[in-house]
Amino acid sequence: MVETVKQKSNETNRPVIVWFRQDLRTDDHPALHAASQGGRVVIPVFIWDQMGEGSWLVGAASKWWLHSSLAALGKTLSTLGSPLILRQGTAEKVLVEIAKSTGAGGVHCSMRYEPSAKSQEVRVRKELLASGLSFEAHPGTLLHDPAVIRTGSGMPYKVYTPFAKAYRNTMSSESPLSPPKFLKAPEEKIHSASLDELKLLPAIDWAKTMREWWQPGEAGARKRLSKFTIQSAKAYGENRDFPAEDGSSRLSAHLHWGEISPRRIWNEVSKSPAAASVGAQKYLAEILWRDFAYHVMSNFPRTAESPLRPEFERFPWEPSAEKLKAWKQGKTGYPIVDAGMRQLWATGWMHNRVRMIVASFLVKHLLQDWHHGAKWFWETLVDADLSSNSLGWQWSAGCGADAAPYFRIFNPILQGEKFDSQGTYVREWIPELAHLPSEFIHQPWNAPPLVLLQSGVELGGNYPAPIVDHVTARNRALAALSFFGKQ
Ligand SMILES: Cc1cc2nc3c(=O)[nH]c(=O)nc-3n(C[C@H](O)[C@H](O)[C@H](O)COP(=O)(O)OP(=O)(O)OC[C@H]3O[C@@H](n4cnc5c(N)ncnc54)[C@H](O)[C@@H]3O)c2cc1C
């Protein structure tokens, strides 16, 4: 009996590792909170394990973000007392090695839900337990466990509205956890790779505008959240669809990297002066879309690769390297599409309304397979997130959860005129069109030659002529749709 108590107290006195993954924060971090209880030595570790990501290796813009996010987390942890240890390699091997060299008794981490991350977690658990170490994965990435919620017939949800209703009813009302005040560091120095050794930054520096736009890290996330709750939450419902407005929170990349918890966002928005407004409630509903995306990914693990509606596997795409390239480069001749693609390239982010327009354009006007679009977003978005990106692309293609019907084809001219009526957004991202009168800004090909001349626009010269005619492309997409009637 005495021996068991002694053993237990030895166990609780041993250092503990906190394995940081996509949870690069100290606030409301259940794994860090659990590890730091009882004054134990805490060893914070981040492992750059590309193999653990399966076939979805972290994209270029995300890697840029991750570099700065790790720098910010490293500073915060050093200030708290225990510096972040960086390593490269297979997570399970590195964790066992660090535990052995430091005498740590176990590992705490936050859960992830992508299929490759889940498999990684299984391997880590197995390896740690086999080495006599403990392992605990904590919630914190989402508002609620995405796997447990089920329809009345015991099936996962495929439609957002009933999902959100059921989810809200089961969500816990627990408050966010405060960050630890102090972390006890090991006495002996532990080897850490330098941040530069991880080679996350691009060889050629294309990130100037991204640096101007973003402040990766926990402090940047909190700043954005408080700016949003004070300035934009109330009018979110009215402004969120207008890409020239700073009407949304722009928290997606911070959320993806776990620099802020969804619970912290929920809590702050719910207690802000705007809380009861339609805008704030709409915003909370959007935060639930993120959990919905994870619910879909959790229950349909092949959602990044395969359409949820299997008949789409045989869709008659018309592959064209040329059209795909024009879309990626923002040279389709449709100003709202091109502005979005150029905003994406310059900033690593694109407004949600414009994401829907460009995705629809690629899939329906150009008949290019949605996977190509998803891959390009994956490389170029700072918020690239396997669950949300797959949901967004499958939704746009009409083949996924809660998808828009395939025959609803966004008209890029009308969308531009409705959501960017003065062309402010288009002018910002396509300076070649800056002097075009607003009536032609979304259809420069209809401007009289003299107007084009006076505006400095040369169609097919400094700005492309449309690569497809809208009406012809729409009819072609509808004809392709008739393929489904023949199934
Ligand atoms: C084709 C396509 C691809 C997309 N790819 C991604 C992606 O890789 N990563 C990503 O985070 N979002 C993605 N989205 C969803 C959405 O466009 C972004 O979350 C949003 O534009 C981010 O800006 P924000 O933070 O200002 O959003 P806000 O309007 O302020 O919303 C707050 C948060 O709610 C969540 N959210 C809002 N809308 C959605 C949605 N439709 N699906 C899932 N979560 C949502 C995000 O976490 C967002 O940060 C995609 C949408 C489409 C149509």
Side-chain angles (χ1 to χ4, degrees), residues 228 236 240 248-253 255-256 283 286-290 293 349-352 355-356 359 377-378 381 383-386 388-393 395-396:
F228 177 74
Y236 176 77
R240 63 185 289 268
S248 69
S249 67
R250 300 190 185 178
L251 276 164
S252 47
L255 269 166
H256 171 76
Y283 182 73
E286 291 303 313
I287 296 289
L288 285 183
W289 267 100
R290 177 174 176 268
W349 184 85
M350 193 196 297
H351 188 276
N352 180 60
R355 289 188 205 205
M356 295 194 286
F377 270 30
W378 184 255
L381 278 172
D383 64 26
D385 181 278
L386 203 58
S388 301
N389 198 37
S390 309
L391 183 88
W393 276 97
W395 182 91
S396 302

Side-chain angles (χ1 to χ4, degrees), residues 444-458:
W445 57 92
N446 280 333
L450 185 61
V451 172
L452 287 175
L453 190 68
Q454 285 168 342
S455 309
V457 177
E458 193 194 332

